[in-house]
Amino acid sequence: MSDIQPMLVDTATKIMKDFCTKEVINKAEEGEFPHDLWEALEETGMTSIGIPEDIGGVGGDLEDAMSLLKISGKFAAPIPLAETLLAKLILSFARLPLLNGPLSLLPAQNNDQISFRKTDDAWAVSGKAQYVPWARDVKNIVVFGATSAGQMIVSYVSTDDCQITQGQNLAGEPRDEVMLPDILIDNDRIAPSHNLMGEDIWNRGALTRTALMAGALENILELTLTYAKEREQFGRPIGKFQAVKQQLAVLAGEVTASGIAADAAVSAYEQGGQNQEIAMAKIQVGEAAKAVTNIAHQVHGAMGFTDEHPLHHSTRRLWSWQDEYGSESEWAELLGSEILENSSEQVWSMVTD
């Protein structure tokens, strides 16, 4: 944990409590971007966490950024914070200027194809991307793609130059289709990605989703415990019944395991680890999302399905985020392939170290 992390967590929690209310989330799902929430985070430097100060960030490391996203997930914040942090990190790797305001990022899926082409006095970028978070709500999108020679390039484009078809996920968050119709870009907005590769971006994207999901799981645990203490049947709180206690124990276990797995994946990746820890974390939070939401809705009964109760804000986000940057099935297939390639001694150390 860095020196700034306790202060970061405390400040971010206060901002989320003040600006990320149930009404704000509901309006965001109807298409109203929460500008006050975003400006509060930007004024306190939260949107540049994890970026070195000498290139325009506010310092901190990957663990700090992921702790912030865990809080964002816990409050179901309807803003592109994960995308902005990731986009700014890519700009910093390429030594391009950091951009103000919320950002999105291309490609958003493994099969999105983005290509750069050199013209006489500029560059042109073209391609199509699906399921792009908040494309309609940002002014700029950071673009990562390849030239015909295989060189990886980073740049950014104005959304005014893109063709955007609006879509959304189950949680009502914007997930748009973006077309880049051979957009011309000045040379000073183009830079090689240096050591950053597409796999790195995918892995970091998966880390953002494990952090968001770990936060959402924490919120569901708190909501469910509170309801189990307040709701009474036959003259006593339902949390006093043995069957409910057993379910709450399973729920708490899944939430705790998910938080530990998410933190361990961030720590291992920051220390130069491979994507095995990310795979394990994404599998854990994905499986926990199913178990936890099932139990939480059973405990809440019909109340958990109403618009008035905030439980659905977290459950719908979990069901949406679990497939982004690879579902648990895709990560399990990758992890299984790596296990089969190793000797039995290496498998043991992979599981226990």
Side-chain angles (χ1 to χ4, degrees), residues 1 62-63 204 263-274 277:
M1 179 185 294
L62 183 62
E63 290 187 29
R204 290 174 184 270
D263 291 344
V266 173
S267 179
Y269 195 74
E270 194 162 46
Q271 294 172 17
Q274 303 301 310
E277 290 83 1

Side-chain angles (χ1 to χ4, degrees), residues 9 11 15 19 39 63 77-78 92 97 156-157 161 164 169 175 181 202 226 263 265 267 279 285 296 322 324:
V9 169
T11 304
I15 291 174
F19 291 93
E39 288 169 6
E63 290 187 29
S92 71
Y156 56 92
V157 297
D161 298 325
I164 297 174
N169 63 16
R175 293 294 186 268
W202 187 257
T226 299
D263 291 344
S267 179
V285 296
Q322 71 180 112
E324 295 183 350

Side-chain angles (χ1 to χ4, degrees), residues 59-70:
D61 53 25
L62 183 62
E63 290 187 29
D64 296 324
M66 293 303 135
S67 66
L68 175 60
L69 290 181
K70 192 181 287 187

